[in-house]
Amino acid sequence: AEYNLVADAVRETFRADFGMENMGGIRAPLLRGAITRGDMVTLDPFNNTVVLFKATGRQIRELLERYAPAVSGLKYRIQDRKLVDVTLGGRPLKDDKTYSGVTNSYFAGFALKGRPTQDTGKKRLDTVIDYVRRKGTVQPAYDGRRIVVRSTESGTR
């Protein structure tokens, strides 16, 4: 749920069509009650910056299938390591259309290697803190935007 919060905060702040965050990049849950800067640093202890990029629908599909990231603006399902469904803003993703994306500098460093990107220099942590302050109240929730299903190897399911 915290991944959704981070991805939404970054995407909304930078007004991108979609956002992607690598799994493993959020290190602690947010607990009910007042959120301190310390809570946010524990959640996101890295010095990642926000990176902007463009990607076609086809490239987005490849990134989703290869990395299965946390997302914002996108909803997708991976079944047995294959992307079987994806929408952006509730609409089918168009392979040849170019969309604006946002991610963190760590994910960009390997997933977007060799692609044009723009590092904003703005820390992801500060972006999320500013977003939470603007909202006042946040309730991170699972909403089915990222579904990854792996069937059993024996095929008995």
Side-chain angles (χ1 to χ4, degrees):
E2 284 75 14
Y3 284 98
N4 293 350
L5 171 67
V6 170
D8 287 348
V10 175
R11 181 184 63 82
E12 290 176 28
T13 299
F14 288 89
R15 294 183 171 88
D17 294 325
F18 70 96
M20 291 185 173
E21 295 289 332
N22 55 290
M23 299 307 293
I26 303 301
R27 295 300 169 104
L30 284 178
L31 304 176
R32 183 182 300 258
I35 299 170
T36 66
R37 182 173 179 83
D39 294 333
M40 296 303 294
V41 170
T42 303
L43 172 100
D44 183 6
F46 308 104
N47 279 319
N48 290 321
T49 52
V50 175
V51 173
L52 307 177
F53 66 102
K54 302 270 190 217
T56 64
R58 188 173 292 108
Q59 291 168 327
I60 293 169
R61 287 176 197 280
E62 291 167 4
L63 288 166
L64 293 174
E65 192 167 274
R66 182 162 186 196
Y67 300 107
V71 294
S72 179
L74 292 163
K75 186 173 183 175
Y76 73 99
R77 180 182 180 91
I78 291 177
Q79 180 90 36
D80 295 326
R81 297 188 173 90
K82 292 285 179 217
L83 184 67
V84 294
D85 187 39
V86 60
T87 57
L88 191 148
R91 294 195 172 99
L93 195 63
K94 295 183 179 163
D95 282 352
D96 295 327
K97 184 174 178 184
T98 299
Y99 300 92
S100 62
V102 64
T103 189
N104 66 74
S105 52
Y106 175 78
F107 186 71
F110 62 86
L112 302 176
K113 201 174 200 117
R115 295 187 190 183
T117 59
Q118 178 196 345
D119 194 318
T120 64
K122 173 106 171 159
K123 288 197 186 327
R124 179 178 70 176
L125 173 63
D126 293 339
T127 301
V128 177
I129 288 172
D130 292 346
Y131 175 85
V132 169
R133 280 191 181 127
R134 274 196 317 275
K135 292 285 185 190
T137 301
V138 293
Q139 291 181 303
Y142 292 104
D143 58 9
R145 66 177 77 175
R146 175 187 179 269
I147 300 173
V148 179
V149 180
R150 292 195 175 98
S151 297
T152 58
E153 296 300 319
S154 63
T156 56
R157 277 186 117 192

